[in-house]
Amino acid sequence: MSTKTSTTHNDINEVLSGANWWRQAAVYQIYPRSFSDSNGDGLGDIAGITAKVPYLKSLGIDAVWLSPFYPSALADGGYDVDDYRDVDPRLGSLADFDKMTAALRAAGIKLIVDIVPNHSSDRHEWFKEALASPKGSAARDRYIFRDGLGENGELPPSDWDSKFGGPAWERITEPDGTPGQWYLHLFAKEQPDFNWGNPEVREDFLKTLRFWSDRGVDGFRIDVAHALIKDLSEPMPSKAELPVEGTGIDGLVDGSHPFWDRDDVHEIYAEWRKVFNEYAPPRTAVAEAWVHAVRRGRYASPEGLGQAFNFDLLQADFDAGQFHSIITKNLAEAAATGAPSTWVFSNHDVIRHATRYGLPSDGGRHGQEWLLDGGSPSAVDVEVGLRRARAASLLMFALPGSAYLYQGEELGLQEVGDIPASDRQDPSFFRNPGVDIGRDGCRVPLPWTTEGLAFGFSDAAAHLPQPEWFSRYAVEAQDGTPGSTLELYREALRLRRSLQTEEQLKWLNHTDDSVLHFIRPNGWQSVTNFGTEPVDLPAGTVVISSSPLTDGKLPADTTAWII
Ligand code: GLC
């Protein structure tokens, strides 16, 4: 695991089944509450996932990444965890989890679970104990409690904002009923931040990692991996003094931000690595770290988590120049560090890429402006969005490194932009009025059938309303249908399995600047036309294309693979 391996196309199957399976994997993210409901309560569950293992197998993915399924009040879609070593009773039991793991394993699919170490929920036993214990107690030390400022401690310890809007500090009522200390929450107030300087916190997470590893989990996705260590020495800087962060990027290139991407966080992951390596094959991890590209390698080091998300493509426009420079930069980084690249266009936090690409000039702030304007479907050029999304995904599958997919993208599913306020669930909608509409639109339950109350997701109405037009995207409508997005993904993933290697790509020149063309050492070529006119294709056999060719040419917004 510590050295970069070189693989040819003949031994990729060994890579995918051996200890290095994660280096070139196609990983499918499941947002459990919105995937498939087995018991008719309108909420997706673990048994629902088990029932769909044949579907996952037919898709040809290598691994599933499961967003949180732990007991939770769902103040932040499950990223507010009450108990790290159990299953939300509404989603099932540990026995159901074991059945799902066994079914995935029998289908040859690995399992990655989400670990949320920056904060628990405010219903976690430890937080309840902290509230019931006095100031200065050991129980309070597991979180970040501080006295307030002002004559009676009535002002927060600093004026910092939470990521979801509103203050990052919440005042508590002491056990004797008087207004008391404040606790830090970088996210919702129901998500108190842990104090990672506390040895009990550190020990408990090691226990959690072993708990799931012992149950057969193959890897972990680490939520806000860059937030755990904070500098809270007083006086804390006011928010006006906090360094300005880049768009979507937390922290600074020198690690000096008080709470994002501090160097000491890597001590934690070095300890975790030792736990991962207790297992054969070693458990894997991928960091969610919205940090500067130059700092990403630390999270992805073999002594640390091994892999980190690169969100660069997800933040880019559908543009040849942007794609070229992002891919080149990230592959150079992979070559230098030995940590394989990761690629992703959609996840549970962002607007689906089939919609993003169909918005006029990207809809402003990656679609946020469109959402604020009411998220009307009529403002989206669905056809263009889908064509581009298919082209982008096919290009991604031809890149060296891991490809992360988000449930529904294999259906070409669009974002639901116009969810009524009364149905919204995301805390960023409630905490940031007029600025953030939240992330519910990409979390609407999947359509499995073209008809029915919840399009086959559940026998009851889905927990987030599904629009009528979901019918068109249903699995039932696409399964076995030539040219459907589902069949495109299946075929692409099938081909990828036999073609993928660890070796890098070489860019080839094309006469047109809006075309990206590269070749892998085994002769596998990918060509994408980001322009508006059909272009000539290089010689060779086209094995797949994201849209039909026109008179033997590669049309606009299309990718083709040639061998
Ligand atoms: C991560 C998750 C996001 C969650 C946040 C707080 O960014 O992806 O969904 O709200 O962390 O846990």
Side-chain angles (χ1 to χ4, degrees):
M1 167 107 37
S2 58
T3 51
K4 191 185 159 223
T5 51
S6 176
T7 321
T8 67
H9 125 233
N10 294 329
D11 51 9
I12 187 65
N13 288 329
E14 196 188 310
V15 167
L16 288 178
S17 59
N20 281 331
W21 66 268
W22 54 281
R23 295 180 62 89
Q24 302 293 325
V27 184
Y28 182 85
Q29 181 189 358
I30 290 184
Y31 194 72
R33 292 174 178 83
S34 298
F35 186 67
S36 171
D37 174 23
S38 72
N39 64 357
D41 64 358
L43 210 57
D45 49 36
I46 300 287
I49 298 171
T50 310
K52 298 295 184 194
V53 168
Y55 173 77
L56 297 169
K57 188 172 166 62
S58 80
L59 193 53
I61 48 156
D62 303 304
V64 157
W65 147 31
L66 208 55
S67 279
F69 50 86
Y70 314 106
S72 167
L74 304 185
D76 180 20
Y79 284 88
D80 45 321
V81 179
D82 296 352
D83 179 349
Y84 290 88
R85 297 187 284 272
D86 205 351
V87 173
D88 186 333
R90 287 167 297 182
L91 269 61
S93 61
L94 281 168
D96 292 327
F97 182 89
D98 292 342
K99 275 190 215 148
M100 176 193 68
T101 311
L104 287 169
R105 185 171 310 122
I109 299 171
K110 309 276 191 215
L111 177 60
I112 294 171
V113 299
D114 224 307
I115 291 289
V116 190
N118 180 63
H119 42 262
S120 70
S121 84
D122 60 352
R123 309 194 318 170
H124 191 284
E125 277 310 310
W126 276 0
F127 193 71
K128 289 196 259 181
E129 198 188 329
L131 291 185
S133 305
K135 174 178 159 178
S137 59
R140 288 230 175 142
D141 188 58
R142 297 183 189 122
Y143 293 91
I144 300 172
F145 281 88
R146 292 289 183 277
D147 290 335
L149 304 177
E151 213 168 309
N152 301 305
E154 71 281 10
L155 299 173
S158 74
D159 62 354
W160 298 349
D161 290 328
S162 105
K163 196 79 176 160
F164 293 151
W169 296 94
E170 181 74 12
R171 193 169 198 189
I172 64 158
T173 303
E174 296 293 344
D176 66 4
T178 57
Q181 285 197 293
W182 298 72
Y183 66 87
L184 181 71
H185 58 91
L186 290 185
F187 293 87
K189 72 173 171 26
E190 296 85 357
Q191 293 168 298
D193 283 43
F194 278 120
N195 168 19
W196 274 87
N198 181 302
E200 272 187 280
V201 171
R202 293 198 181 218
E203 273 310 308
D204 199 63
F205 271 91
L206 301 182
K207 198 167 157 189
T208 295
L209 295 174
R210 289 195 180 98
F211 179 88
W212 295 109
S213 297
D214 291 343
R215 287 199 112 85
V217 160
D218 301 283
F220 300 93
R221 178 261 188 192
I222 315 305
D223 190 65
V224 280
H226 56 306
L228 279 46
I229 297 292
K230 284 121 190 159
D231 175 8
L232 297 170
S233 49
E234 294 176 39
M236 293 171 216
S238 79
K239 70 181 175 198
E241 293 168 81
L242 288 179
V244 180
E245 297 150 16
T247 320
I249 298 296
D250 304 317
L252 296 169
V253 278
D254 63 359
S256 64
H257 193 283
F259 41 86
W260 301 120
D261 191 24
R262 296 186 64 80
D263 290 343
D264 293 354
V265 77
H266 299 293
E267 283 170 20
I268 298 170
Y269 301 133
E271 255 187 296
W272 289 20
R273 172 51 57 194
K274 289 190 196 130
V275 173
F276 299 151
N277 290 351
E278 287 166 8
Y279 294 86
R283 296 326 189 217
T284 70
V286 56
E288 186 216 19
W290 292 84
V291 298
H292 280 269
V294 290
R295 312 258 313 164
R296 206 182 283 140
R298 298 164 182 237
Y299 294 86
S301 86
E303 298 77 33
L305 297 174
Q307 202 176 47
F309 281 116
N310 126 42
F311 294 113
D312 302 347
L313 280 183
L314 176 154
Q315 293 175 299
D317 299 329
F318 186 77
D319 174 87
Q322 291 184 37
F323 271 54
H324 184 274
S325 91
I326 288 169
I327 293 167
T328 305
K329 195 179 74 193
N330 280 285
L331 290 179
E333 195 180 304
T337 62
S341 293
T342 58
W343 311 103
V344 55
F345 288 111
S346 283
N347 64 32
H348 66 297
D349 290 331
V350 298
I351 295 177
R352 288 182 174 279
H353 64 298
T355 301
R356 234 162 43 219
Y357 292 151
L359 289 169
S361 40
D362 202 29
R365 291 194 298 133
H366 301 286
Q368 288 303 319
E369 304 297 344
W370 165 68
L371 284 181
L372 282 169
D373 281 351
S376 160
S378 61
V380 184
D381 190 332
V382 171
E383 204 189 314
V384 167
L386 181 57
R387 268 179 86 86
R388 291 182 174 172
R390 289 165 56 121
S393 297
L394 195 56
L395 182 159
M396 166 172 82
F397 293 143
L399 294 172
S402 299
Y404 284 83
L405 290 65
Y406 177 54
Q407 68 178 37
E409 72 167 76
E410 78 280 17
L411 305 175
L413 201 60
Q414 297 278 329
E415 183 84 4
V416 186
D418 53 357
I419 299 174
S422 54
D423 284 318
R424 292 209 173 258
Q425 300 175 3
D426 187 2
S428 53
F429 170 71
F430 299 105
R431 292 187 63 94
N432 232 346
V435 178
D436 204 340
I437 295 294
R439 303 159 294 179
D440 294 311
C442 62
R443 300 173 178 183
V444 177
L446 292 193
W448 293 91
T449 55
T450 54
E451 288 178 18
L453 182 59
F455 300 110
F457 161 72
S458 170
D459 291 339
H463 66 99
L464 275 169
Q466 299 158 303
E468 281 297 307
W469 51 260
F470 255 38
S471 168
R472 287 208 290 285
Y473 296 89
V475 173
E476 186 186 32
Q478 302 196 37
D479 190 12
T481 307
S484 70
T485 305
L486 177 58
E487 292 304 336
L488 174 75
Y489 268 64
R490 283 177 174 158
E491 182 61 3
L493 290 168
R494 189 187 68 76
L495 288 167
R496 182 186 192 268
R497 220 167 238 273
S498 62
L499 292 168
Q500 182 63 305
T501 83
E502 283 262 337
E503 282 152 343
Q504 297 233 349
L505 58 78
K506 190 170 141 223
W507 291 111
L508 297 174
N509 286 331
H510 195 280
T511 43
D512 195 319
D513 282 353
S514 50
V515 174
L516 290 188
H517 181 195
F518 58 82
I519 186 164
R520 307 288 298 277
N522 57 9
W524 177 19
Q525 299 178 57
S526 174
V527 200
T528 305
N529 182 0
F530 290 82
T532 51
E533 299 303 321
V535 295
D536 287 335
L537 276 162
T541 308
V542 174
V543 288
I544 188 169
S545 64
S546 62
S547 297
L549 304 184
T550 44
D551 302 327
K553 292 190 165 212
L554 186 67
D557 303 331
T558 304
T559 295
W561 291 355
I562 293 164
I563 48 175

